[in-house]
Amino acid sequence: MKKTTDENSLPPAVAIVVAGGSGRRMGGDIPKQYRLLGGLPVITRTLGVFEESSSISGIIVVVPVEGGSGHVMEAVASRGFSKIRAVVSGGSTRQESVRNALAALNHSVGIVAVHDGVRPLVPVDLIDLCVREARKYGAVVPGIPVADTLKSVDGTGRIRVTVEREGLWLVQTPQVFHRHILQDAYDRAFADGFSGTDDAVLVERTGVSVVMIPGSRDNMKITLENDLARAEEILTLQRDVKQGRRAANPVHQRVGFGYDSHRLVEGRKLFLGGCQIPYDRGLLGHSDADVLLHAIGDALLGAVGAGDLGRLFPDDDPAWKDISSTVLLETIRSVASGRGYGVHNVDATVILERPRLKLHIDSMEEAIARLLGVEKERVSVKASTNEGMGFIGRGEGIAAFAVVSVAGNEHDDGVM
Ligand code: MG
């Protein structure tokens, strides 16, 4: 395996990949870590990313107690993985499994990265970042800030309380630690009979502070049957980006155009550009009908050649009923970034007779910029009336036009 001089001088980082679950939640006879994703077993894909990571020098795989090593050995043989140092038997819990793997570590190991075998789409950059930060801080986990509203529900299905989501993160793996910190945490948990649902919690209770760093939305855990289909999509997009990166000229600019209109009705709130605008009527639609975000979303999809809003979020799909269009735009942004594109700038015009938008333009531009991950200066929102003509002039509806330009790596369809 190739290493840079710099990495050679550091204590090695070893990954513990836990493929020890029996996958009962997913149903079916084959545990989920052995199901096929893009033609390869999930676990093979996961191991492949760690094999590829320049910051990982060895891998220990934990397999289920009952006859689990066969698949892993097959993967190792078929893919020519060179970093697998040991295949150890899992325990009855994840915690026991990791403990078994820690016991198999060579003494020279300085950093340990514990990863779920069923997170095959972890970007190699994220592994490298976690290892780098763990060398600095001692204990690092990746995560994603919670975007949905959280409710605590009682046993009868009634909401007890809405949980403040500020400061709440969904935790991913790899969770990466100085080896002695993790070993100490596991020893103490064992001595105290404490069991936790991840590695960080064991470290937290020893008083060591654990640093949270931004993870990746691609880094999903394959738990349910549906997850495999979603993972296939992400895998395709990841491949596209990779292909794009290999293109001779890596920077491409493209432009997309979008139009949308919705009917104004009583009894609905008015959302425009991700902001709620005070008005006695609102726009009618399957989602919150934010006509401006829809036009921008369509323009962005058009720019990256990924279809349109209706195809991505069918209006007969209950999943999108009454959903905030901010979620739709965030999803579209990740589709674009999955294809290797980021937004360069947005120009949009909302056409309506009332209400006056002058006071809201600034907050709309700010909200759109935040959703698209660009500076506010790159977002322009304008408003115009229709001089009393047509459906807009009669106040029956609102329309929006948008142009979005993107820059990035062109993806290469059809190449594996
Ligand atoms: Mg619409």
Side-chain angles (χ1 to χ4, degrees):
M1 122 201 54
K2 270 184 259 164
K3 276 191 189 174
T4 66
T5 328
D6 187 29
E7 276 156 3
N8 263 332
S9 61
L10 296 168
V14 164
I16 294 175
V17 176
V18 189
S22 56
R24 279 184 207 96
R25 260 184 291 181
M26 191 125 135
D29 296 334
I30 309 171
K32 59 207 172 192
Q33 62 271 32
Y34 303 131
R35 299 285 295 271
L36 293 184
L37 171 63
L40 285 178
V42 165
I43 184 66
T44 307
R45 293 221 168 263
T46 308
L47 293 174
V49 189
F50 284 86
E51 177 77 21
E52 191 190 328
S53 161
S54 62
S55 55
I56 295 292
S57 61
I59 304 167
I60 293 179
V61 194
V62 191
V63 296
V65 195
E66 331 86 42
S69 65
H71 286 86
V72 171
M73 300 320 282
E74 242 170 66
V76 173
S78 70
R79 309 301 293 178
F81 292 157
S82 65
K83 292 184 183 173
I84 312 276
R85 297 287 170 265
V87 178
V88 306
S89 224
S92 58
T93 62
R94 184 186 187 281
Q95 193 170 322
E96 259 181 54
S97 294
V98 175
R99 196 162 168 265
N100 290 351
L102 283 172
L105 284 179
N106 185 295
H107 270 289
S108 65
V109 171
I111 295 286
V112 181
V114 187
H115 188 71
D116 299 327
V118 288
R119 291 186 190 269
L121 299 171
V122 57
V124 70
D125 298 351
L126 181 62
I127 298 173
D128 295 341
L129 177 69
C130 289
V131 169
R132 210 158 52 231
E133 298 296 286
R135 287 195 191 279
K136 234 186 290 176
Y137 297 110
V140 165
V141 304
I144 301 282
V146 171
D148 296 329
T149 299
L150 295 173
K151 308 276 187 195
S152 166
V153 177
D154 70 16
T156 72
R158 286 175 177 77
I159 292 168
R160 237 188 323 240
V161 66
T162 298
V163 182
E164 180 56 54
R165 72 178 172 208
E166 176 77 32
L168 291 184
W169 291 59
L170 300 168
V171 175
Q172 304 181 336
T173 67
Q175 303 196 347
V176 189
F177 310 89
H178 281 184
R179 182 236 178 113
H180 66 92
I181 290 177
L182 189 61
Q183 186 67 60
D184 179 49
Y186 266 85
D187 291 346
R188 289 217 230 166
F190 184 71
D192 302 344
F194 176 86
S195 65
T197 50
D198 73 344
D199 305 285
V201 68
L202 308 189
V203 172
E204 290 158 33
R205 65 189 289 279
T206 67
V208 171
S209 77
V210 181
V211 175
M212 178 72 79
I213 63 172
S216 161
R217 293 201 185 271
D218 287 0
N219 188 17
M220 61 180 288
K221 190 171 182 178
I222 297 178
T223 309
L224 307 169
E225 189 66 42
N226 292 351
D227 296 340
L228 268 174
R230 233 188 94 212
E232 291 278 356
E233 279 169 27
I234 296 172
L235 184 67
T236 307
L237 294 174
Q238 283 186 346
R239 251 184 218 147
D240 288 349
V241 173
K242 263 193 190 164
Q243 300 293 341
R245 278 196 185 126
R246 271 190 245 146
N249 176 10
V251 177
H252 294 264
Q253 291 184 323
R254 294 173 59 144
V255 173
F257 168 76
Y259 167 79
D260 195 25
S261 63
H262 280 270
R263 190 180 288 276
L264 270 171
V265 294
E266 275 168 16
R268 297 260 304 178
K269 288 174 180 160
L270 177 61
F271 290 95
L272 284 173
C275 300
Q276 196 187 321
I277 312 285
Y279 194 49
D280 57 8
R281 288 182 295 161
L283 293 171
L284 182 65
H286 187 63
S287 64
D288 66 7
D290 187 327
V291 69
L292 175 54
L293 292 193
H294 291 188
I296 293 171
D298 251 356
L300 179 48
L301 285 171
V304 302
D308 61 27
L309 224 72
R311 202 163 92 192
L312 215 57
F313 312 105
D315 62 11
D316 54 2
D317 184 342
W320 311 117
K321 177 131 179 58
D322 295 327
I323 198 164
S324 164
S325 298
T326 59
V327 176
L328 307 186
L329 195 59
E330 272 176 338
T331 308
I332 292 169
R333 178 191 167 191
S334 64
V335 167
S337 72
R339 291 185 171 228
Y341 289 98
V343 169
H344 181 263
N345 76 301
V346 176
D347 185 23
T349 300
V350 186
I351 308 173
L352 77 176
E353 223 65 27
R354 266 189 308 272
R356 296 288 302 274
L357 291 186
K358 204 171 164 200
L359 295 175
H360 305 288
I361 295 283
D362 212 48
S363 358
M364 289 193 276
E365 288 178 345
E366 211 160 82
I368 293 162
R370 198 170 50 239
L371 290 167
L372 295 176
V374 299
E375 308 91 88
K376 186 168 164 263
E377 290 68 38
R378 292 175 185 265
V379 176
S380 148
V381 173
K382 310 184 300 300
S384 174
T385 72
N386 225 19
E387 299 272 329
M389 295 179 288
F391 75 90
I392 295 171
R394 292 189 297 272
E396 291 166 10
I398 298 179
F401 295 93
V403 174
V404 172
S405 78
V406 294
N409 309 302
E410 191 166 45
H411 77 282
D412 196 354
D413 274 325
V415 184
M416 291 297 286

